[in-house]
Amino acid sequence: MTDKSKQTKLVQAEIGVDKTFGAVSPPLYLSSTYRFEQFDQQGQYDYGRGGNPNRDALGAAIADLEGGAGGIVTSSGMAAIDLVTNLFKADDLIIAPHDCYGGTHRLLTHRAEQGRLRVIFVDQNDPKALDAAIAQQPKLIMIETPSNPLMRLVDIAAICKAAKKVGAQVSVDNTFLSPARQLPLDLGADFVIHSTTKYLNGHSDVIGGCLVAKTAEHAEQLAWWANCTGVTGAPFDSYLTLRGMRTLFARMDIAERNTQAIAKFLHKHKAVEAVYYPGLRSDPGHKLMKRQQSGPGAMLSFTLKGGRDAARVFLENIEVFQMAESLGGVESLICHPATMTHRGMADEAREIAGIGDNLVRLSVGIEAEDDLIAALKNILVQI
Ligand SMILES: *Cc1c(COP(=O)(O)O)cnc(C)c1O
Protein backbone atom coordinates (compact mmCIF):
# COMPACT_ATOMS: atom_id res chain seq x y z
CA MET A 1 0.00 0.00 0.00
CA THR A 2 1.32 3.48 -0.84
CA ASP A 3 1.48 6.25 1.76
CA LYS A 4 -1.45 7.96 -0.02
CA SER A 5 -3.74 4.95 0.19
CA LYS A 6 -2.63 4.33 3.79
CA GLN A 7 -3.58 7.91 4.57
CA THR A 8 -7.06 7.41 3.10
CA LYS A 9 -7.55 4.13 4.95
CA LEU A 10 -6.42 5.71 8.22
CA VAL A 11 -8.66 8.77 7.91
CA GLN A 12 -11.62 6.48 7.21
CA ALA A 13 -10.87 3.76 9.78
CA GLU A 14 -14.18 2.67 11.38
CA ILE A 15 -16.00 5.60 9.75
CA GLY A 16 -19.62 4.83 8.88
CA VAL A 17 -19.68 1.31 10.30
CA ASP A 18 -22.32 1.86 13.02
CA LYS A 19 -25.39 -0.21 12.18
CA THR A 20 -27.57 0.88 15.13
CA PHE A 21 -27.91 4.61 14.37
CA GLY A 22 -25.79 5.16 11.28
CA ALA A 23 -23.31 7.28 13.24
CA VAL A 24 -20.46 8.42 10.99
CA SER A 25 -17.87 8.47 13.79
CA PRO A 26 -17.43 5.14 15.56
CA PRO A 27 -19.23 4.63 18.89
CA LEU A 28 -17.31 4.19 22.13
CA TYR A 29 -17.86 0.85 23.89
CA LEU A 30 -17.05 1.21 27.58
CA SER A 31 -18.77 -1.98 28.73
CA SER A 32 -16.46 -4.32 30.62
CA THR A 33 -18.56 -7.38 29.79
CA TYR A 34 -20.75 -8.73 26.97
CA ARG A 35 -23.89 -10.87 26.91
CA PHE A 36 -23.62 -14.45 25.76
CA GLU A 37 -25.92 -15.08 22.80
CA GLN A 38 -27.12 -18.38 24.21
CA PHE A 39 -26.10 -20.99 26.76
CA ASP A 40 -22.49 -21.99 25.98
CA GLN A 41 -22.34 -19.60 23.01
CA GLN A 42 -20.40 -16.36 23.30
CA GLY A 43 -20.59 -13.51 20.82
CA GLN A 44 -17.59 -11.77 19.26
CA TYR A 45 -16.65 -10.28 22.64
CA ASP A 46 -16.99 -11.64 26.15
CA TYR A 47 -14.80 -9.63 28.53
CA GLY A 48 -13.10 -6.27 28.05
CA ARG A 49 -9.59 -7.19 29.12
CA GLY A 50 -9.27 -9.67 26.25
CA GLY A 51 -11.20 -7.80 23.59
CA ASN A 52 -12.93 -4.48 22.99
CA PRO A 53 -14.17 -2.97 19.70
CA ASN A 54 -12.38 0.38 20.14
CA ARG A 55 -9.11 -1.24 21.14
CA ASP A 56 -9.30 -3.76 18.30
CA ALA A 57 -10.03 -1.00 15.76
CA LEU A 58 -6.99 0.95 16.93
CA GLY A 59 -4.72 -2.12 16.87
CA ALA A 60 -5.86 -2.98 13.34
CA ALA A 61 -5.32 0.61 12.14
CA ILE A 62 -1.76 0.75 13.53
CA ALA A 63 -0.97 -2.72 12.11
CA ASP A 64 -2.23 -1.54 8.68
CA LEU A 65 0.02 1.52 8.83
CA GLU A 66 3.08 -0.56 9.76
CA GLY A 67 2.27 -3.41 7.36
CA GLY A 68 1.97 -5.99 10.18
CA ALA A 69 -0.42 -8.90 10.71
CA GLY A 70 -1.73 -7.52 14.00
CA GLY A 71 -1.31 -4.80 16.59
CA ILE A 72 -1.76 -5.29 20.33
CA VAL A 73 -2.81 -2.08 22.08
CA THR A 74 -1.35 -1.68 25.57
CA SER A 75 -1.82 0.71 28.48
CA SER A 76 1.53 2.46 27.76
CA GLY A 77 4.59 2.29 25.57
CA MET A 78 6.45 0.59 28.43
CA ALA A 79 3.77 -2.11 28.61
CA ALA A 80 4.31 -2.80 24.89
CA ILE A 81 8.07 -3.15 25.45
CA ASP A 82 7.52 -5.50 28.40
CA LEU A 83 4.96 -7.46 26.36
CA VAL A 84 7.44 -8.44 23.63
CA THR A 85 9.81 -9.92 26.25
CA ASN A 86 7.11 -12.49 27.13
CA LEU A 87 8.00 -14.36 23.92
CA PHE A 88 11.46 -15.13 25.33
CA LYS A 89 12.81 -17.41 28.05
CA ALA A 90 14.88 -16.41 31.06
CA ASP A 91 18.17 -17.57 29.54
CA ASP A 92 17.48 -16.01 26.13
CA LEU A 93 19.78 -13.09 25.36
CA ILE A 94 18.42 -9.67 24.34
CA ILE A 95 20.62 -6.99 22.77
CA ALA A 96 19.47 -3.41 23.31
CA PRO A 97 20.93 -0.02 22.31
CA HIS A 98 23.14 1.61 24.99
CA ASP A 99 21.32 4.90 24.38
CA CYS A 100 17.75 3.55 24.33
CA TYR A 101 14.80 5.33 25.99
CA GLY A 102 15.50 5.59 29.75
CA GLY A 103 12.40 3.61 30.69
CA THR A 104 13.46 0.78 28.37
CA HIS A 105 16.94 0.75 29.89
CA ARG A 106 15.45 0.63 33.41
CA LEU A 107 12.98 -2.15 32.55
CA LEU A 108 15.55 -4.42 30.89
CA THR A 109 18.15 -3.80 33.61
CA HIS A 110 15.74 -4.69 36.42
CA ARG A 111 14.23 -7.69 34.62
CA ALA A 112 17.80 -8.95 34.13
CA GLU A 113 18.54 -8.41 37.83
CA GLN A 114 15.46 -10.50 38.63
CA GLY A 115 16.84 -13.26 36.40
CA ARG A 116 13.88 -12.99 34.02
CA LEU A 117 15.99 -12.26 30.93
CA ARG A 118 19.59 -11.62 29.90
CA VAL A 119 20.53 -8.32 28.30
CA ILE A 120 23.57 -6.59 26.84
CA PHE A 121 23.50 -2.93 25.96
CA VAL A 122 25.70 -2.01 22.98
CA ASP A 123 26.44 0.95 20.78
CA GLN A 124 24.77 -0.38 17.64
CA ASN A 125 26.76 2.06 15.50
CA ASP A 126 30.02 0.45 16.66
CA PRO A 127 30.40 -2.52 14.25
CA LYS A 128 32.94 -4.34 16.44
CA ALA A 129 30.79 -4.11 19.58
CA LEU A 130 27.67 -5.11 17.65
CA ASP A 131 29.38 -8.10 15.96
CA ALA A 132 30.71 -9.28 19.32
CA ALA A 133 27.23 -9.07 20.85
CA ILE A 134 25.60 -10.86 17.91
CA ALA A 135 28.23 -13.61 18.16
CA GLN A 136 26.70 -14.43 21.57
CA GLN A 137 23.56 -15.74 19.78
CA PRO A 138 20.89 -13.32 20.96
CA LYS A 139 17.23 -14.25 20.52
CA LEU A 140 16.04 -10.63 20.22
CA ILE A 141 17.76 -7.47 19.04
CA MET A 142 15.98 -4.27 20.05
CA ILE A 143 16.56 -1.18 17.91
CA GLU A 144 15.54 2.41 18.53
CA THR A 145 16.17 4.92 15.76
CA PRO A 146 16.48 7.91 15.74
CA SER A 147 17.97 7.97 19.23
CA ASN A 148 16.95 10.32 21.99
CA PRO A 149 18.04 13.08 22.33
CA LEU A 150 20.87 13.22 19.77
CA MET A 151 18.93 11.87 16.76
CA ARG A 152 21.58 9.29 15.87
CA LEU A 153 20.38 6.76 13.31
CA VAL A 154 21.16 3.06 13.09
CA ASP A 155 20.80 0.94 9.95
CA ILE A 156 17.71 -1.23 10.51
CA ALA A 157 18.12 -3.37 7.36
CA ALA A 158 21.78 -4.15 8.11
CA ILE A 159 21.04 -5.18 11.70
CA CYS A 160 18.06 -7.31 10.61
CA LYS A 161 20.31 -9.11 8.10
CA ALA A 162 22.93 -9.86 10.76
CA ALA A 163 20.19 -10.93 13.20
CA LYS A 164 18.66 -13.41 10.74
CA LYS A 165 22.04 -15.13 10.33
CA VAL A 166 22.00 -16.14 14.01
CA GLY A 167 18.25 -16.75 14.16
CA ALA A 168 17.50 -13.64 16.23
CA GLN A 169 14.31 -11.62 15.94
CA VAL A 170 14.32 -7.84 15.75
CA SER A 171 12.05 -5.23 17.34
CA VAL A 172 12.16 -1.54 16.43
CA ASP A 173 10.86 1.25 18.65
CA ASN A 174 9.35 3.53 15.98
CA THR A 175 7.99 6.15 18.41
CA PHE A 176 10.17 9.06 17.23
CA LEU A 177 9.09 8.87 13.57
CA SER A 178 5.78 6.99 13.38
CA PRO A 179 4.79 4.86 10.36
CA ALA A 180 4.31 8.09 8.42
CA ARG A 181 8.13 8.32 8.16
CA GLN A 182 9.64 4.86 8.83
CA LEU A 183 8.45 1.29 8.19
CA PRO A 184 10.71 -1.15 10.07
CA LEU A 185 8.82 -4.32 9.03
CA ASP A 186 9.61 -3.51 5.36
CA LEU A 187 13.29 -3.34 6.37
CA GLY A 188 13.24 -6.83 7.87
CA ALA A 189 12.08 -6.32 11.47
CA ASP A 190 9.69 -8.73 13.19
CA PHE A 191 8.08 -6.33 15.67
CA VAL A 192 7.39 -2.60 15.87
CA ILE A 193 6.89 -0.88 19.20
CA HIS A 194 5.09 2.41 19.75
CA SER A 195 4.49 4.73 22.59
CA THR A 196 1.19 5.92 21.08
CA THR A 197 1.40 8.67 23.72
CA LYS A 198 3.56 10.54 21.18
CA TYR A 199 2.92 11.00 17.42
CA LEU A 200 0.14 8.44 16.94
CA ASN A 201 -2.25 10.04 19.41
CA GLY A 202 -0.60 13.38 18.72
CA HIS A 203 -2.47 15.54 21.23
CA SER A 204 -0.63 14.92 24.54
CA ASP A 205 -3.74 13.63 26.31
CA VAL A 206 -3.36 9.82 26.39
CA ILE A 207 -0.72 7.40 27.72
CA GLY A 208 -0.74 4.33 25.50
CA GLY A 209 1.29 1.83 23.52
CA CYS A 210 1.12 -0.71 20.72
CA LEU A 211 3.14 -3.74 19.71
CA VAL A 212 2.82 -4.70 16.03
CA ALA A 213 3.84 -8.17 14.87
CA LYS A 214 4.77 -9.03 11.32
CA THR A 215 3.28 -12.54 11.49
CA ALA A 216 -0.22 -13.61 12.51
CA GLU A 217 1.31 -16.30 14.73
CA HIS A 218 3.23 -13.74 16.78
CA ALA A 219 0.23 -11.40 16.90
CA GLU A 220 -1.87 -14.21 18.32
CA GLN A 221 0.73 -15.15 20.94
CA LEU A 222 1.13 -11.52 21.99
CA ALA A 223 -2.63 -10.95 22.25
CA TRP A 224 -2.74 -14.02 24.50
CA TRP A 225 0.02 -12.61 26.72
CA ALA A 226 -1.57 -9.15 26.83
CA ASN A 227 -4.81 -10.68 28.11
CA CYS A 228 -2.94 -13.02 30.45
CA THR A 229 -0.92 -10.22 32.07
CA GLY A 230 -3.71 -7.62 31.81
CA VAL A 231 -1.72 -4.87 30.05
CA THR A 232 -4.31 -4.11 27.37
CA GLY A 233 -5.28 -0.47 26.71
CA ALA A 234 -8.51 1.14 27.90
CA PRO A 235 -11.46 1.66 25.49
CA PHE A 236 -11.63 5.45 25.93
CA ASP A 237 -7.88 5.82 25.43
CA SER A 238 -8.14 3.67 22.30
CA TYR A 239 -11.01 5.80 21.03
CA LEU A 240 -9.07 9.03 21.58
CA THR A 241 -5.93 7.61 20.01
CA LEU A 242 -7.71 6.52 16.82
CA ARG A 243 -9.38 9.95 16.69
CA GLY A 244 -5.98 11.66 17.01
CA MET A 245 -4.30 9.30 14.57
CA ARG A 246 -6.57 10.21 11.65
CA THR A 247 -4.53 13.39 11.17
CA LEU A 248 -1.11 11.70 11.54
CA PHE A 249 0.09 12.32 7.97
CA ALA A 250 -1.14 15.93 7.92
CA ARG A 251 0.39 16.68 11.33
CA MET A 252 3.69 15.06 10.42
CA ASP A 253 3.94 17.04 7.16
CA ILE A 254 3.45 20.39 8.90
CA ALA A 255 5.60 19.60 11.94
CA GLU A 256 8.42 18.32 9.72
CA ARG A 257 8.29 21.41 7.49
CA ASN A 258 8.52 23.60 10.61
CA THR A 259 11.44 21.54 11.91
CA GLN A 260 13.38 21.82 8.66
CA ALA A 261 13.01 25.61 8.80
CA ILE A 262 14.06 25.69 12.47
CA ALA A 263 17.08 23.44 11.80
CA LYS A 264 18.30 25.76 9.04
CA PHE A 265 17.75 28.82 11.22
CA LEU A 266 19.60 27.36 14.24
CA HIS A 267 22.40 25.96 12.08
CA LYS A 268 23.31 29.50 10.95
CA HIS A 269 22.86 31.23 14.32
CA LYS A 270 26.03 32.37 16.10
CA ALA A 271 24.74 31.51 19.61
CA VAL A 272 24.27 27.88 18.56
CA GLU A 273 27.15 25.42 18.73
CA ALA A 274 25.74 22.36 16.92
CA VAL A 275 22.40 21.13 15.57
CA TYR A 276 21.44 17.45 15.63
CA TYR A 277 18.91 16.80 12.87
CA PRO A 278 19.29 14.17 10.13
CA GLY A 279 17.36 16.46 7.78
CA LEU A 280 20.42 18.74 7.53
CA ARG A 281 22.77 17.77 4.71
CA SER A 282 25.72 18.24 7.07
CA ASP A 283 24.33 15.73 9.62
CA PRO A 284 26.23 12.39 9.82
CA GLY A 285 22.91 10.53 9.59
CA HIS A 286 21.68 12.35 6.48
CA LYS A 287 22.52 9.63 3.92
CA LEU A 288 21.03 6.82 6.01
CA MET A 289 17.96 8.98 6.68
CA LYS A 290 17.39 9.28 2.90
CA ARG A 291 17.59 5.51 2.51
CA GLN A 292 15.70 4.42 5.61
CA GLN A 293 13.09 7.11 6.28
CA SER A 294 10.61 8.93 4.06
CA GLY A 295 11.50 12.19 5.85
CA PRO A 296 13.58 13.51 8.74
CA GLY A 297 10.68 13.90 11.20
CA ALA A 298 10.01 16.67 13.70
CA MET A 299 12.44 16.06 16.59
CA LEU A 300 15.61 18.10 16.80
CA SER A 301 18.24 18.94 19.38
CA PHE A 302 21.02 21.51 19.55
CA THR A 303 23.72 22.84 21.85
CA LEU A 304 24.07 26.46 22.94
CA LYS A 305 27.45 28.15 23.19
CA GLY A 306 26.72 29.49 26.68
CA GLY A 307 26.47 26.30 28.77
CA ARG A 308 23.98 25.58 31.59
CA ASP A 309 23.18 29.25 32.35
CA ALA A 310 22.35 29.94 28.73
CA ALA A 311 20.13 26.85 28.69
CA ARG A 312 18.32 28.05 31.82
CA VAL A 313 17.59 31.51 30.38
CA PHE A 314 16.55 29.94 27.10
CA LEU A 315 14.09 27.43 28.57
CA GLU A 316 12.63 29.75 31.21
CA ASN A 317 11.95 32.63 28.87
CA ILE A 318 11.16 31.25 25.45
CA GLU A 319 7.66 31.98 24.18
CA VAL A 320 5.32 29.62 22.29
CA PHE A 321 7.28 26.45 23.30
CA GLN A 322 6.13 24.73 26.52
CA MET A 323 8.89 23.50 28.85
CA ALA A 324 7.87 19.85 29.19
CA GLU A 325 8.97 16.27 28.62
CA SER A 326 7.33 14.01 26.02
CA LEU A 327 6.95 14.72 22.33
CA GLY A 328 4.85 14.25 19.23
CA GLY A 329 1.91 16.51 20.11
CA VAL A 330 0.43 19.29 17.99
CA GLU A 331 1.99 21.83 20.37
CA SER A 332 5.72 22.58 20.40
CA LEU A 333 7.66 21.45 23.47
CA ILE A 334 11.14 22.30 24.69
CA CYS A 335 13.16 20.09 27.00
CA HIS A 336 16.53 20.21 28.76
CA PRO A 337 17.56 16.52 28.72
CA ALA A 338 20.25 16.89 31.45
CA THR A 339 17.73 18.10 34.07
CA MET A 340 14.54 16.54 32.66
CA THR A 341 14.34 13.34 30.57
CA HIS A 342 17.89 12.15 31.34
CA ARG A 343 18.31 13.41 34.93
CA GLY A 344 18.32 9.80 36.19
CA MET A 345 21.66 9.15 34.45
CA ALA A 346 24.93 9.60 36.37
CA ASP A 347 26.75 12.81 35.37
CA GLU A 348 29.65 10.91 33.89
CA ALA A 349 27.46 8.55 31.84
CA ARG A 350 25.54 11.56 30.57
CA GLU A 351 28.74 13.28 29.47
CA ILE A 352 29.92 10.11 27.70
CA ALA A 353 26.57 9.89 25.93
CA GLY A 354 27.07 13.49 24.73
CA ILE A 355 24.19 14.92 26.76
CA GLY A 356 25.76 18.09 28.11
CA ASP A 357 24.26 20.90 30.18
CA ASN A 358 23.98 23.06 27.05
CA LEU A 359 21.87 20.56 25.09
CA VAL A 360 18.26 21.50 24.27
CA ARG A 361 15.66 19.23 22.63
CA LEU A 362 12.66 20.39 20.64
CA SER A 363 9.50 18.52 19.74
CA VAL A 364 8.21 20.77 17.00
CA GLY A 365 4.46 21.11 16.63
CA ILE A 366 2.15 22.45 13.95
CA GLU A 367 2.00 26.13 14.92
CA ALA A 368 2.79 28.72 12.25
CA GLU A 369 6.45 28.48 11.22
CA ASP A 370 7.01 32.24 11.53
CA ASP A 371 5.86 32.24 15.17
CA LEU A 372 8.20 29.38 16.10
CA ILE A 373 11.19 31.00 14.39
CA ALA A 374 10.36 34.38 15.99
CA ALA A 375 10.25 32.79 19.46
CA LEU A 376 13.67 31.21 18.91
CA LYS A 377 15.11 34.40 17.43
CA ASN A 378 13.84 36.52 20.36
CA ILE A 379 15.32 34.26 23.00
CA LEU A 380 18.67 33.71 21.26
CA VAL A 381 19.47 37.46 21.39
CA GLN A 382 18.98 37.36 25.18
CA ILE A 383 21.60 34.72 25.99
C1 LIG B 1 7.84 7.70 25.59
C2 LIG B 1 8.63 6.59 25.01
C3 LIG B 1 8.49 5.26 25.46
C4 LIG B 1 7.60 4.89 26.64
O1 LIG B 1 6.26 5.12 26.36
P1 LIG B 1 5.16 5.47 27.49
O2 LIG B 1 3.92 5.63 26.70
O3 LIG B 1 5.62 6.72 28.17
O4 LIG B 1 5.14 4.32 28.42
C5 LIG B 1 9.23 4.28 24.83
N1 LIG B 1 10.09 4.56 23.82
C6 LIG B 1 10.25 5.82 23.37
C7 LIG B 1 11.20 6.06 22.26
C8 LIG B 1 9.55 6.87 23.94
O5 LIG B 1 9.73 8.12 23.49
Side-chain angles (χ1 to χ4, degrees), residues 145-146 151-154 156 177 180-183 187 256 278-279 285 287-297:
T145 177
M151 311 302 143
R152 292 187 184 123
L153 307 191
V154 295
I156 298 174
L177 287 170
R181 289 297 178 271
Q182 180 167 268
L183 294 168
L187 299 167
E256 185 176 71
K287 262 202 186 137
L288 179 55
M289 186 280 286
K290 288 277 197 194
R291 184 148 51 85
Q292 178 162 286
Q293 304 174 195
S294 56

Side-chain angles (χ1 to χ4, degrees), residues 124-317:
Q124 296 178 343
N125 267 326
D126 175 345
K128 263 197 192 143
L130 184 62
D131 285 352
I134 291 176
Q136 296 188 50
Q137 308 275 327
K139 289 285 192 268
L140 174 70
I141 301 180
M142 290 185 155
I143 296 176
E144 194 182 311
T145 177
S147 76
N148 177 23
L150 292 171
M151 311 302 143
R152 292 187 184 123
L153 307 191
V154 295
D155 190 330
I156 298 174
I159 295 179
C160 288
K161 212 166 144 196
K164 296 289 127 82
K165 283 196 186 136
V166 296
Q169 288 169 351
V170 176
S171 71
V172 178
D173 187 329
N174 203 20
T175 300
F176 263 49
L177 287 170
S178 91
R181 289 297 178 271
Q182 180 167 268
L183 294 168
L185 299 183
D186 286 357
L187 299 167
D190 303 280
F191 307 100
V192 175
I193 293 166
H194 277 285
S195 167
T196 56
T197 312
K198 319 290 169 51
Y199 285 103
L200 293 184
N201 177 57
H203 294 75
S204 306
D205 52 10
V206 175
I207 298 284
C210 187
L211 177 56
V212 176
K214 186 170 194 157
T215 70
E217 190 191 350
H218 278 146
E220 202 175 304
Q221 288 169 4
L222 291 165
W224 185 91
W225 273 110
N227 178 49
C228 175
T229 56
V231 295
T232 48
F236 189 49
D237 290 352
S238 303
Y239 172 93
L240 278 177
T241 303
L242 182 58
R243 183 186 195 272
M245 231 167 71
R246 296 185 196 285
T247 54
L248 172 67
F249 287 89
R251 283 187 279 111
M252 196 48 104
D253 286 350
I254 298 172
E256 185 176 71
R257 221 162 42 230
N258 284 344
T259 315
Q260 280 169 317
I262 289 172
K264 279 188 195 139
F265 166 77
L266 292 173
H267 189 59
K268 282 186 296 204
H269 202 287
K270 58 182 189 311
V272 173
E273 194 179 68
V275 178
Y276 302 94
Y277 184 59
L280 287 173
R281 220 165 292 146
S282 56
D283 191 276
H286 185 70
K287 262 202 186 137
L288 179 55
M289 186 280 286
K290 288 277 197 194
R291 184 148 51 85
Q292 178 162 286
Q293 304 174 195
S294 56
M299 293 298 296
L300 164 160
S301 60
F302 61 97
T303 47
L304 291 164
K305 283 191 180 144
R308 188 185 165 99
D309 288 340
R312 178 199 292 273
V313 172
F314 195 98
L315 272 93
E316 280 182 349
N317 298 294

Side-chain angles (χ1 to χ4, degrees), residues 3-25:
D3 258 15
K4 288 266 179 267
S5 48
K6 279 188 179 175
Q7 184 175 340
T8 303
K9 197 166 179 197
L10 173 60
V11 170
Q12 304 221 341
E14 296 297 295
I15 293 287
V17 299
D18 174 46
K19 296 215 169 58
T20 315
F21 299 114
V24 170
S25 293

Side-chain angles (χ1 to χ4, degrees), residues 62-74:
I62 299 175
D64 277 351
L65 285 173
E66 292 285 2
I72 291 83
V73 174
T74 55

